[in-house]
Amino acid sequence: MAKSKKDLEGWQLVFEEEKAGVDSPVRRSRRTAAATAAAVSSEPGISVRRDDDQLVLKQGDVVHFEDADGVPTLGLIRDIRLDTDQFLSIPVFLFVKAKDISKEVSTTVIDNEVFLTVYQEPIQLSSVLDKVKVVSKGEFDQVVVDISTLNDIFVCSRASNVEGTMLSSEFDFRDMLKMFRESQLEFMEYLKSQTVTAARKTPMLSPAKKRPLLDVIDVTGTNKKEKKDTIKSEDGDYLSDDSDSSSSSVIEPESESDNDDDDNDLLDSEEEKKKKPKRRTAKVPAVKKERKSPIKSSPKRGRKPLLPKKPASTTGFKPKIKLSPLKSSFRSPSRPRIPKPETLEFKEIREKLRAGSERLRNLPAREDEYFHIFHWLSSSVEEQQGECFYISGTPGVGKTATVRAVIADMLDMASQNDITPFDYLEINGLKLISPNNAYEILWEKISGKKVTSNAALLALEKHFKDREEEGNHSHARPLIVLIDELDQIVTKKQNILYNFFNWPSYKFSKLVVIAIGNTMDLPERVLSNKISSRLGEKRYQFVGYTYEQLVQIVQKRLDDIKKNDKKVQINDTAIVLAARKVASVSGDARRALNICRRAVEIAEKEYTDNKEEQIGTYEVAFKHITKAVLETVNSPTAQFLRSLSFASKLTLVAMLNQINRKQKAENALGDVIDEMKIAILRLVSPHEEEHHHATSIYDLLYSSGLLDKSTSTANRIRVKNFNYIVTELRENGIINEQPIQSERYRSVNLNVSHEEVLSVLREDTVIYSLVYEAR
Amino acid sequence: MGGSETGGSKRHANQYQFERNQIVKKAKSTTETELIQIRKVYETDSSSSDELFNGDHSDEGNIQNDISGGEISLESSSSDISGRSTPIHEPTTISTTSEQQHGVATKLKTTITTATINDDDFNVLKRQVISQLNGRSKFPNLHKSSLANHYHEITKMFEYCVEGGEGHSLLLIGPRASGKSCIVDAALELLADGHVGNSFITVRLNAYMHGDDRVALREIARQLDQNYEIEGGFERWSTSETFTNILKILETNIFKTEQQEEAQEELETNKEYEEDLQMSIIFIIDEFEKFTNNSKQTLLYNLFDMSQYSATPICVVGMSTKVTTREMLEKRVKSRFSQRVISINKPSTIEEFWQDFKLNLIVSEELVQHRLKDIANVYKWNKQIEDLYETSNSPLKKLVLENYFTVKNFKHLANACLPAIVGCHDFKDLHKFENFTLYQKVNDNNNIQNIIGSLSYLETLLVIAAARWVAKSEIPIINFNLAYAEYQAMIKSLNLQNSSAASSNLSAIDSTILASIKVNQKIWSPVVLRNSWETLYKCGILLDSAGVTTNSEGNIITNVNKNKSYTVEENKMIQLDVTLQELNSIFDSSSIFNRFTKL
């Protein structure tokens, strides 16, 4: 990569347009929205030419270059682009040479074989040695290898991780190149899935992975054992690896010079997995130095040219959240059961679909919002100004996640000194016992002392006042405070909000407040003018996700595990269905994820229930999603009403009759009691043929002499256990009851819609014949 | 529970928690089930085997066994050891049980003393059935009942949470006594059996006990502290600190994973530490809908939020009777909730109902086989129960029918069957089920009909008078003066009718003479009737007029009771909780009161 034009000495930039026709121009197809969002604005079709020998490098070429240690390395040029940060950047996919491949993995390694990795490095133009030819196995067989070509032609038919401990299945390199040209995203995902995802599950067991499903089932017992061994050996591998790499960079990332490297890579467990080996092999000081090189100027999209797909990295922000607990459970030897592989796949998908699983990662479909907020925050941090912002939107549309992503990226940049370092504090209105605790938290952040909220308020006030008087302290860092669920810390006097929005207006306070609430007009509705005026016009409204966006979100999470030879997959149309359902109601991403996750659970159950019949890929299909959606939509009311006892239904009939007769929603229970008796008597008298049946019901409900004829008093005035019946209906939320002691005079009304009750009662002919309908 | 103790014996801690949970469960006991529940508490506390309310019964049995020979006593004690812990007879158990059960207890006593106990198998079976009816033995036939599906679903979810480290949330909705807690407990038990180490913590909340978020938080911290030792503990002096502390620990549980990883790399595996890391937390929230009453729903927000985002796998199970619970969640809370609702409904046909209930009455052989001399007795028992139901007109069938048509409540039915089962002493007795009515008789009180039946002559007249006035004037409230006036008029007209009937064919002079001779109904003075009026008020036939006593929780009873100690003024307007029409149907035509109930 070239930082300035000067570094480009000896090289010529050639734009595709000018030399069209010279080499068949390779145009990358535009990537999908998600990718473009994160991706760098690159001009396709730039190539570079070395003045000395007219060596032309362009995207898709494989170059031989010296890495920072001076070790000759191969790399597939991913991109050549003019950049905002660097003048020219050339990221390449690294190849691993045959000698670096671990012997245990493969014994059939040809000398000239190289292995593609998903890992990328930027290269210096000056370090480029030569262009080499990498061919597929088929082509390679036709080429005669002699001394002259030994360093020019390589064969590639497999991918690997950087460590060389994990190989993919064989592929045709030409096909790979084709995939690479058509869609880099796909290419990377494929590589990743081949070398990284699989590594987590069945490291060094790639052949086992390809075993047909039936086979796996048959040998469950042995397979399990195998798995255990695998896991153990994986652990061992890590340990031994660590002892090898004396740099110990893994253990104490903070102390390392490649801080930013960590930051970028620490994403989630999976990323983490990938990262580990990477860092170990890539103990290449020069590269690190380069990566560390401060990325100046505007921190826009291009700030991370190397991993453009994951701008929302996290470290520095909350470094500890990175490792998902899943991982420890995977590695833990004390786990009692190792699930069967299929179940594991279900589980993996489920985990991906958990709302919290991908915290702070790249947020699809929120690029505009991301940029907007980034702009706000970075500018106010740079200007050392106090500011207030307000973000609104319904639940589950990514408000908090976006802000967090912005903050995480800013913290990354701050650690590279790209922007002024700042502090960050998050206050959630619903995670406070009382709104006043907000002061305590803020003061604790500022001073590190714990005091009561009143004292904190005074201290804060003094703190900000002092700053104003003393003038600008260069050493004081700006502080960004995120107030989530703003409406929950609104108090009657509104003093808390007032203070939080007032302090930023103090000169040199360097306090930036981002408030998040549910409604756009909350400042006007709840807050008095003097507070809402402080909020100014800096507001942003998040709207619910559209179904396309929801699809994108779900797909994104599944990207890693899809497009693979996985046995479990989610049908695309099924995802669309779920997304449409949710988008039409709320556009709540959480709910969409929950539905998909539930669908996977349902499918898994189905799968385990009739295992024998299942061969090959198992698909989470339309019906599963439908079932999951129904579960969330269906109200249990109708079912419950259906299962009520006769007497309870009778009570409801009586209530409905009363409502119809009196045209009043609320009626005295006494009237209902009378109505019940009338209704049951109606049932007894007119239908002679049903007489027997009817009287027995009447006896059941009203006579006390059912079991014991001798002590019979004639009739009961109320249905047996009437009290219990009414109380139960109330407890189940079917009716409301006035809480007074009098039984006859308390008024009752229906808590569910009359139509719903009627429609259920209609199913019971005996009961329905009693319903009085006003005509 | 002290820290050392917790660390030292987790098992003990579990036991403690289990008992406590039992008690928590009792807290929600409604009056109908109180009887049973009290018994249960006693059993749990004293961990005695069969000290039901027939405590002296089993004691007696032991004595008899001792007398009859060493072999039998050996048999009985071995069965005790294998089955459960040895009975510790507590003389106080009986005397302290609820008075409501007095009638039952006396009845039992008499039957017990006359019976001779020689059928050991029968007693084993009987004990088993009694404990099933009491709900004590965790419903052993769960897998056969209609709850099995829900049970598997919940078990699966818990497994996901504990083994897979996933967060989940769920609402379990069903009417009282439909088996909500039953399946959750069973699932937890299964889970605990499967995991030797304590890989999960159960935190139980009950909205009736931990009504407000602060109390609930403290309780959470306390229960976490009890089960999980952490530096400094979860609980702090101030609630808000406790709160932030809990959130912090649960959210950054992962923090320790990294530390631990470092530690692992340095000094191999730290076994105990690692065990801690896998800790999942299962929240069981009883009376879930009560927590939605808090305006902010802070607790629910945080629990659901954690179940979605927290690093610690958290599973939240809300149990509620209210079918509309999900709609009561605040929108951002709802967004965090998984939307998953399992509703447990009552059986919809009588056959299903009986099949489910039957599981309480029959015994499955694997539970008792090691205690029985002859396994055939199990089948004998089960067959008899079946026969009992199949026989037409059998009291059991009637009982089931009645329950099915009115309340559809297994608990009610179990309570009704309990005295009958207890009253049996050998297989022959099982056929005589007259005892089934016993519970109904004891249970069937406290409604207005029974109260009226218990009134004195004068009081009854006063009720009728009041009802007449209400019927005539169509004003729902009445005071003593009005009622007395009506009473006067009522008696006068009666006397007049009597005399006119008598004097229809006599001269005026004769009639006056006759009238003076004829025994008229005496019209008692207001002073006398004032007393009766107050009695009526105390009985609850007369009530303070409605609408005024509404507090948020609907705790009306305490208010009214307070008022009841006061005397009623003559002109205080109060309500009568019975109508003339109802009085008419209470008194049949042969009764003297019947004529008054007609205007």
mmCIF file of all heavy atoms in Angstrom, chain B residues 28-49:
data_model
loop_
_atom_site.group_PDB
_atom_site.id
_atom_site.type_symbol
_atom_site.label_atom_id
_atom_site.label_comp_id
_atom_site.label_asym_id
_atom_site.label_seq_id
_atom_site.Cartn_x
_atom_site.Cartn_y
_atom_site.Cartn_z
ATOM 1 N N LYS B 28 -49.538 -18.965 47.795
ATOM 2 C CA LYS B 28 -50.620 -18.593 46.896
ATOM 3 C C LYS B 28 -51.860 -19.439 47.124
ATOM 4 O O LYS B 28 -52.799 -19.386 46.358
ATOM 5 C CB LYS B 28 -50.138 -18.716 45.458
ATOM 6 C CG LYS B 28 -49.855 -20.134 45.063
ATOM 7 C CD LYS B 28 -49.619 -20.260 43.592
ATOM 8 C CE LYS B 28 -49.473 -21.727 43.253
ATOM 9 N NZ LYS B 28 -48.992 -21.930 41.923
ATOM 10 N N SER B 29 -51.824 -20.211 48.138
ATOM 11 C CA SER B 29 -52.940 -21.125 48.335
ATOM 12 C C SER B 29 -54.234 -20.355 48.490
ATOM 13 O O SER B 29 -54.321 -19.381 49.207
ATOM 14 C CB SER B 29 -52.697 -21.966 49.577
ATOM 15 O OG SER B 29 -52.761 -21.142 50.708
ATOM 16 N N THR B 30 -55.191 -20.772 47.776
ATOM 17 C CA THR B 30 -56.497 -20.175 47.923
ATOM 18 C C THR B 30 -57.202 -20.915 49.027
ATOM 19 O O THR B 30 -56.761 -21.961 49.480
ATOM 20 C CB THR B 30 -57.273 -20.320 46.608
ATOM 21 O OG1 THR B 30 -57.087 -21.650 46.151
ATOM 22 C CG2 THR B 30 -56.727 -19.367 45.587
ATOM 23 N N THR B 31 -58.306 -20.370 49.440
ATOM 24 C CA THR B 31 -58.954 -20.959 50.605
ATOM 25 C C THR B 31 -59.343 -22.394 50.369
ATOM 26 O O THR B 31 -59.292 -23.206 51.264
ATOM 27 C CB THR B 31 -60.198 -20.150 50.999
ATOM 28 O OG1 THR B 31 -60.881 -19.804 49.806
ATOM 29 C CG2 THR B 31 -59.815 -18.934 51.796
ATOM 30 N N GLU B 32 -59.698 -22.711 49.142
ATOM 31 C CA GLU B 32 -60.171 -24.074 48.895
ATOM 32 C C GLU B 32 -59.057 -25.072 49.151
ATOM 33 O O GLU B 32 -59.302 -26.177 49.608
ATOM 34 C CB GLU B 32 -60.659 -24.254 47.461
ATOM 35 C CG GLU B 32 -61.654 -23.268 46.976
ATOM 36 C CD GLU B 32 -60.953 -22.094 46.343
ATOM 37 O OE1 GLU B 32 -60.144 -22.280 45.449
ATOM 38 O OE2 GLU B 32 -61.227 -20.980 46.809
ATOM 39 N N THR B 33 -57.871 -24.672 48.811
ATOM 40 C CA THR B 33 -56.810 -25.664 48.880
ATOM 41 C C THR B 33 -55.996 -25.532 50.154
ATOM 42 O O THR B 33 -55.057 -26.286 50.363
ATOM 43 C CB THR B 33 -55.879 -25.505 47.687
ATOM 44 O OG1 THR B 33 -55.483 -24.150 47.628
ATOM 45 C CG2 THR B 33 -56.560 -25.895 46.422
ATOM 46 N N GLU B 34 -56.396 -24.615 50.951
ATOM 47 C CA GLU B 34 -55.618 -24.328 52.144
ATOM 48 C C GLU B 34 -55.365 -25.582 52.975
ATOM 49 O O GLU B 34 -54.270 -25.855 53.415
ATOM 50 C CB GLU B 34 -56.371 -23.317 52.980
ATOM 51 C CG GLU B 34 -55.465 -22.480 53.828
ATOM 52 C CD GLU B 34 -56.228 -21.338 54.432
ATOM 53 O OE1 GLU B 34 -57.377 -21.100 54.039
ATOM 54 O OE2 GLU B 34 -55.673 -20.706 55.315
ATOM 55 N N LEU B 35 -56.448 -26.302 53.117
ATOM 56 C CA LEU B 35 -56.407 -27.493 53.950
ATOM 57 C C LEU B 35 -55.244 -28.394 53.560
ATOM 58 O O LEU B 35 -54.406 -28.749 54.371
ATOM 59 C CB LEU B 35 -57.707 -28.244 53.687
ATOM 60 C CG LEU B 35 -58.365 -28.863 54.890
ATOM 61 C CD1 LEU B 35 -59.426 -27.925 55.382
ATOM 62 C CD2 LEU B 35 -58.956 -30.182 54.468
ATOM 63 N N ILE B 36 -55.251 -28.718 52.299
ATOM 64 C CA ILE B 36 -54.243 -29.612 51.755
ATOM 65 C C ILE B 36 -52.854 -29.016 51.933
ATOM 66 O O ILE B 36 -51.915 -29.681 52.357
ATOM 67 C CB ILE B 36 -54.528 -29.821 50.258
ATOM 68 C CG1 ILE B 36 -55.753 -30.683 50.099
ATOM 69 C CG2 ILE B 36 -53.346 -30.461 49.565
ATOM 70 C CD1 ILE B 36 -55.604 -32.050 50.670
ATOM 71 N N GLN B 37 -52.792 -27.754 51.663
ATOM 72 C CA GLN B 37 -51.487 -27.115 51.648
ATOM 73 C C GLN B 37 -50.872 -27.093 53.039
ATOM 74 O O GLN B 37 -49.684 -27.313 53.200
ATOM 75 C CB GLN B 37 -51.618 -25.708 51.117
ATOM 76 C CG GLN B 37 -52.394 -25.693 49.818
ATOM 77 C CD GLN B 37 -51.511 -25.328 48.666
ATOM 78 O OE1 GLN B 37 -50.429 -24.814 48.872
ATOM 79 N NE2 GLN B 37 -51.955 -25.602 47.476
ATOM 80 N N ILE B 38 -51.691 -26.821 53.997
ATOM 81 C CA ILE B 38 -51.161 -26.813 55.358
ATOM 82 C C ILE B 38 -50.535 -28.154 55.674
ATOM 83 O O ILE B 38 -49.438 -28.270 56.174
ATOM 84 C CB ILE B 38 -52.281 -26.495 56.367
ATOM 85 C CG1 ILE B 38 -52.674 -25.040 56.233
ATOM 86 C CG2 ILE B 38 -51.840 -26.800 57.789
ATOM 87 C CD1 ILE B 38 -53.939 -24.680 56.921
ATOM 88 N N ARG B 39 -51.266 -29.162 55.274
ATOM 89 C CA ARG B 39 -50.754 -30.498 55.506
ATOM 90 C C ARG B 39 -49.397 -30.671 54.841
ATOM 91 O O ARG B 39 -48.490 -31.248 55.396
ATOM 92 C CB ARG B 39 -51.726 -31.514 54.922
ATOM 93 C CG ARG B 39 -52.623 -32.120 55.950
ATOM 94 C CD ARG B 39 -53.539 -33.072 55.255
ATOM 95 N NE ARG B 39 -54.878 -32.550 55.254
ATOM 96 C CZ ARG B 39 -55.699 -32.667 54.232
ATOM 97 N NH1 ARG B 39 -55.295 -33.231 53.122
ATOM 98 N NH2 ARG B 39 -56.908 -32.213 54.306
ATOM 99 N N LYS B 40 -49.322 -30.150 53.645
ATOM 100 C CA LYS B 40 -48.086 -30.328 52.898
ATOM 101 C C LYS B 40 -46.921 -29.670 53.609
ATOM 102 O O LYS B 40 -45.832 -30.212 53.707
ATOM 103 C CB LYS B 40 -48.237 -29.739 51.487
ATOM 104 C CG LYS B 40 -48.657 -30.772 50.497
ATOM 105 C CD LYS B 40 -49.136 -30.144 49.237
ATOM 106 C CE LYS B 40 -47.995 -29.694 48.364
ATOM 107 N NZ LYS B 40 -48.505 -29.087 47.150
ATOM 108 N N VAL B 41 -47.175 -28.487 54.099
ATOM 109 C CA VAL B 41 -46.107 -27.780 54.790
ATOM 110 C C VAL B 41 -45.629 -28.608 55.956
ATOM 111 O O VAL B 41 -44.436 -28.764 56.186
ATOM 112 C CB VAL B 41 -46.597 -26.411 55.276
ATOM 113 C CG1 VAL B 41 -45.494 -25.730 56.062
ATOM 114 C CG2 VAL B 41 -47.018 -25.578 54.108
ATOM 115 N N TYR B 42 -46.563 -29.174 56.633
ATOM 116 C CA TYR B 42 -46.160 -29.963 57.792
ATOM 117 C C TYR B 42 -45.291 -31.131 57.401
ATOM 118 O O TYR B 42 -44.293 -31.431 58.005
ATOM 119 C CB TYR B 42 -47.396 -30.464 58.545
ATOM 120 C CG TYR B 42 -47.782 -29.465 59.581
ATOM 121 C CD1 TYR B 42 -48.861 -28.634 59.394
ATOM 122 C CD2 TYR B 42 -47.009 -29.324 60.732
ATOM 123 C CE1 TYR B 42 -49.191 -27.686 60.329
ATOM 124 C CE2 TYR B 42 -47.334 -28.381 61.666
ATOM 125 C CZ TYR B 42 -48.427 -27.573 61.466
ATOM 126 O OH TYR B 42 -48.733 -26.633 62.392
ATOM 127 N N GLU B 43 -45.723 -31.726 56.300
ATOM 128 C CA GLU B 43 -44.946 -32.878 55.873
ATOM 129 C C GLU B 43 -43.535 -32.478 55.515
ATOM 130 O O GLU B 43 -42.577 -33.127 55.894
ATOM 131 C CB GLU B 43 -45.590 -33.507 54.643
ATOM 132 C CG GLU B 43 -46.835 -34.279 54.971
ATOM 133 C CD GLU B 43 -47.695 -34.371 53.749
ATOM 134 O OE1 GLU B 43 -47.135 -34.390 52.653
ATOM 135 O OE2 GLU B 43 -48.906 -34.411 53.918
ATOM 136 N N THR B 44 -43.447 -31.404 54.789
ATOM 137 C CA THR B 44 -42.115 -31.009 54.340
ATOM 138 C C THR B 44 -41.248 -30.658 55.528
ATOM 139 O O THR B 44 -40.073 -31.011 55.596
ATOM 140 C CB THR B 44 -42.212 -29.780 53.423
ATOM 141 O OG1 THR B 44 -43.486 -29.749 52.845
ATOM 142 C CG2 THR B 44 -41.130 -29.799 52.405
ATOM 143 N N ASP B 45 -41.838 -29.949 56.439
ATOM 144 C CA ASP B 45 -41.037 -29.493 57.556
ATOM 145 C C ASP B 45 -40.512 -30.639 58.397
ATOM 146 O O ASP B 45 -39.350 -30.701 58.749
ATOM 147 C CB ASP B 45 -41.870 -28.558 58.433
ATOM 148 C CG ASP B 45 -41.964 -27.193 57.777
ATOM 149 O OD1 ASP B 45 -41.279 -26.977 56.757
ATOM 150 O OD2 ASP B 45 -42.721 -26.375 58.271
ATOM 151 N N SER B 46 -41.393 -31.508 58.720
ATOM 152 C CA SER B 46 -40.957 -32.555 59.627
ATOM 153 C C SER B 46 -40.369 -33.720 58.862
ATOM 154 O O SER B 46 -39.902 -34.672 59.451
ATOM 155 C CB SER B 46 -42.150 -33.033 60.447
ATOM 156 O OG SER B 46 -43.126 -33.532 59.571
ATOM 157 N N SER B 47 -40.419 -33.609 57.565
ATOM 158 C CA SER B 47 -39.953 -34.680 56.671
ATOM 159 C C SER B 47 -40.395 -36.052 57.167
ATOM 160 O O SER B 47 -39.675 -37.016 57.138
ATOM 161 C CB SER B 47 -38.433 -34.627 56.477
ATOM 162 O OG SER B 47 -37.788 -34.901 57.690
ATOM 163 N N SER B 48 -41.560 -36.098 57.641
ATOM 164 C CA SER B 48 -42.094 -37.377 58.091
ATOM 165 C C SER B 48 -42.742 -38.059 56.910
ATOM 166 O O SER B 48 -43.094 -37.425 55.927
ATOM 167 C CB SER B 48 -43.121 -37.157 59.178
ATOM 168 O OG SER B 48 -44.197 -36.424 58.657
ATOM 169 N N SER B 49 -42.853 -39.312 57.000
ATOM 170 C CA SER B 49 -43.298 -40.023 55.808
ATOM 171 C C SER B 49 -44.787 -39.855 55.584
ATOM 172 O O SER B 49 -45.207 -39.249 54.625
ATOM 173 C CB SER B 49 -42.921 -41.489 55.912
ATOM 174 O OG SER B 49 -43.998 -42.230 56.398
#
